[in-house]
Amino acid sequence: MAFSFPSTRLNVPLLSPPSFIPTPKTLALLNPKPRVSKMPLPPPKSLSLQHLSGLQSTVLDLVATSPPTWKSAIASNLLIFLVGSPVVVSGLSASGIGAALALGILTWRAFGGSGFLLVATYFVIGTAVTKLKITQKEAQGVAEKRRGRRGPGSVIGSSAAGCVCSLLSINGIGGPAFAGLWQLGFVASFCTKLSDTVSSEIGKAYGKTTYLVTTFKVVPRGTEGAVSLEGTVAGLLASILLASVGYLMREIDVSQAVVCVIASQIANFGESLIGAALQDKEGFQWLNNDLVNVINISIGSILAVLMQQLILGS
């Protein structure tokens, strides 16, 4: 007996190869890059005493350059402003420092370190007297703004005539015969401004009786055009002091020092007249303190030059 079996077909699915997507990390493992040995970086070289000594020598050579150059003027002023920053910051605002730096560079280029020292003496004394009894002055409403820290307007108002004299000297206007006159005008302008500053600040701090220069009527301290005995005497002494510094620095001689003092007092009297008659009056609102200062120091500088030419005949 024959048996027949039904044919059975097994449908077994064929296994497809697994999908494999290599990652960058896998590729890096499969294809390792050759290692490159890194050379250690040399440590930074520290400044040796020899380098510091050479740098100091270079700076000192620039400061001592004679006649001064723009390069030596810039280097000297940056060094001095950096070393004297506590004094500079106490007397000048941020923008005032920039204006003072420009003035210092111009002064050094024109008249060297002696001219710069004259301006520095003016700045130190002027700042000191401005801060005298500053609280009392503020209470009376007669103190300088920012507790006496001068801005660029004040710096320009105090130095405009000196800057003009510096530019005339640098460019050799008039030749060697006029070089001494520009130097005299420079010194006279700062004698005039220091005398004015000291007179005003001492008068506001210690003046017992203040008179209006046009009428001699008693007026409150700080009134435009007002003068006091204490302030007038202090201003005269300040002018003598700065003229003496100019003489010691060989910027001027004895007769020129006398000229600077006389010119400064005449100019300051004229400035008081302008303040009393015109400042804060109708139609003269544009005549502010900075502009009056420019007029004041210009009068002092021009008077000194004219007196040297016409009276001393040289």
Side-chain angles (χ1 to χ4, degrees):
M1 181 174 180
F3 295 91
S4 62
F5 296 91
S7 63
T8 304
R9 188 175 182 180
L10 298 177
N11 295 320
V12 180
L14 294 176
L15 295 175
S16 61
S19 59
F20 179 73
I21 302 176
T23 63
K25 186 175 181 180
T26 308
L27 290 175
L29 292 174
L30 295 175
N31 299 306
K33 294 182 180 179
R35 292 185 178 180
V36 179
S37 59
K38 294 183 179 180
M39 296 296 292
L41 294 175
K45 294 181 179 180
S46 58
L47 287 175
S48 64
L49 290 177
Q50 184 176 2
H51 290 136
L52 291 175
S53 177
L55 179 61
Q56 180 182 4
S57 177
T58 301
V59 173
L60 291 178
D61 287 343
L62 275 175
V63 172
T65 300
S66 182
T69 63
W70 286 113
K71 187 176 181 180
S72 68
I74 293 172
S76 302
N77 274 267
L78 290 176
L79 176 63
I80 293 170
F81 271 65
L82 180 63
V83 174
S85 57
V87 178
V88 173
V89 170
S90 69
L92 294 167
S93 66
S95 54
I97 292 175
L101 180 61
L103 167 63
I105 292 172
L106 183 62
T107 297
W108 194 292
R109 174 63 181 84
F111 305 114
S114 59
F116 181 91
L117 182 60
L118 185 88
V119 178
T121 303
Y122 152 76
F123 172 73
V124 171
I125 297 176
T127 300
V129 296
T130 300
K131 293 184 179 296
L132 281 175
K133 292 193 174 184
I134 187 69
T135 304
Q136 171 188 305
K137 294 174 185 175
E138 287 177 336
Q140 296 173 347
V142 296
E144 293 291 331
K145 298 177 182 178
R146 298 179 293 269
R147 295 188 68 83
R149 295 177 70 214
R150 311 282 181 166
S154 180
V155 173
I156 295 171
S158 303
S159 63
C163 289
V164 171
C165 291
S166 297
L167 290 171
L168 291 172
S169 178
I170 292 171
N171 291 285
I173 303 300
F178 281 77
L181 289 178
W182 308 143
Q183 202 159 4
L184 172 63
F186 172 82
V187 176
S189 71
F190 284 99
C191 285
T192 302
K193 189 65 193 89
L194 182 63
S195 178
D196 174 52
T197 299
V198 171
S199 177
S200 176
E201 296 300 330
I202 294 297
K204 288 187 288 188
Y206 300 103
K208 294 180 180 178
T209 307
T210 308
Y211 303 93
L212 194 64
V213 72
T214 51
T215 62
F216 288 98
K217 289 182 178 180
V218 177
V219 292
R221 294 176 183 175
T223 302
E224 295 295 343
V227 296
S228 66
L229 177 61
E230 295 83 359
T232 301
V233 172
L236 174 62
L237 294 177
S239 178
I240 294 173
L241 174 61
L242 198 60
S244 300
V245 171
Y247 168 73
L248 293 174
M249 293 295 103
R250 297 183 179 181
E251 292 284 308
I252 52 176
D253 58 29
V254 175
S255 62
Q256 291 173 329
V258 174
V259 164
C260 287
V261 173
I262 296 174
S264 69
Q265 300 311 297
I266 296 174
N268 284 339
F269 181 73
E271 189 258 359
S272 296
L273 286 175
I274 293 173
L278 302 178
Q279 202 167 357
D280 293 335
K281 300 298 189 295
E282 184 68 27
F284 291 92
Q285 288 80 4
W286 51 270
L287 194 62
N288 58 27
N289 282 333
D290 293 335
L291 186 53
V292 171
N293 285 335
V294 171
I295 296 172
N296 181 31
I297 60 177
S298 298
I299 291 173
S301 182
I302 293 170
L303 275 177
V305 171
L306 290 177
M307 288 171 67
Q308 177 74 17
Q309 286 288 86
L310 300 179
I311 299 176
L312 300 181
S314 60

